Amino acid sequence: MDRLKLISGNANPVLAAHIAEYLGMELCKVQVGRFSDGEISVRIDENIRGTDVFIVQPTVPPAENLLELLIIADACSRASAKRITTVIPYYGYARQDRKDQPRVPITAKLMANLVTVTGVQRVLALELHAAQIQGFFDIQVDNLFAAPVMYDYITVSYTHLTLPTNREV
């Protein structure tokens, strides 16, 4: 697994740690902090040249989580990662996915442009607000759905339960 690196931002390090544990690997050593003026600082402390990098970072508010994702992706691009994939369990600003009034932005498209310009080649998202958001990207997007996993979990976890019949209630 030396050709695969998993990087976590600060938005959900617990999720990234669970993913790393499931894959049987360590998270890539990255320092994500702040400069004295509050700006986000990123330093990748491992060689990622020629590797496939997966960045786990939801863009849930505050907006610093999005900015952190963009800065980490840019650092990976400049460190010559072979391929960069972002894992975005929550794609922020997805509700503004169309121009339904005058003088309003299509922020979901802006987000797609920002992610793409950093050098990301693929996005793994979970339950995008609207399927059309996939078309806002000029790179491959996998919109994953939680319902099948939840269904499997519920059916496996609760098959041993016996539900009462009408007569027993």
Side-chain angles (χ1 to χ4, degrees):
M1 288 243 193
D2 280 349
R3 305 298 3 147
L4 176 73
K5 298 287 185 178
L6 184 63
I7 293 177
S8 176
N10 288 322
N12 198 334
V14 173
L15 174 62
H18 283 309
I19 293 170
E21 181 182 346
Y22 182 83
L23 294 174
M25 61 185 298
E26 299 285 324
L27 286 170
C28 183
K29 291 174 182 53
V30 177
Q31 292 185 36
V32 180
R34 299 284 178 158
F35 289 109
S36 60
D37 65 355
E39 292 177 359
I40 297 168
S41 165
V42 171
R43 187 174 77 213
I44 301 170
D45 291 334
E46 294 182 28
N47 182 6
I48 62 169
R49 180 181 299 276
T51 63
D52 287 332
V53 175
F54 288 78
I55 305 168
V56 179
Q57 177 77 347
T59 59
V60 63
E64 282 79 12
N65 290 325
L66 166 63
L67 195 53
E68 190 175 290
L69 170 65
L70 300 174
I71 294 169
I72 293 170
D74 184 67
C76 291
S77 180
R78 293 174 190 280
S80 300
K82 178 181 172 187
R83 183 172 46 199
I84 304 167
T85 301
T86 58
V87 180
I88 307 176
Y90 178 87
Y91 184 78
Y93 299 95
R95 291 174 186 241
Q96 293 177 322
D97 59 357
R98 64 190 176 285
K99 188 166 176 63
D100 57 354
Q101 300 174 37
R103 298 172 302 281
V104 297
I106 304 175
T107 314
K109 172 63 174 161
L110 173 63
M111 296 281 293
N113 289 344
L114 291 171
V115 169
T116 303
V117 77
T118 63
V120 170
Q121 285 97 1
R122 185 178 200 144
V123 172
L124 296 177
L126 183 64
E127 301 277 354
L128 289 171
H129 178 68
Q132 70 194 28
I133 293 172
Q134 294 176 70
F136 293 168
F137 287 87
D138 293 326
I139 57 176
Q140 189 167 0
V141 176
D142 294 308
N143 183 20
L144 306 177
F145 299 96
V149 175
M150 292 172 56
Y151 176 78
D152 288 347
Y153 175 79
I154 291 168
T155 56
V156 169
S157 298
Y158 297 101
T159 54
H160 68 282
L161 294 178
T162 308
L163 297 175
T165 63
N166 288 340
R167 285 179 251 147
E168 294 173 347
V169 175

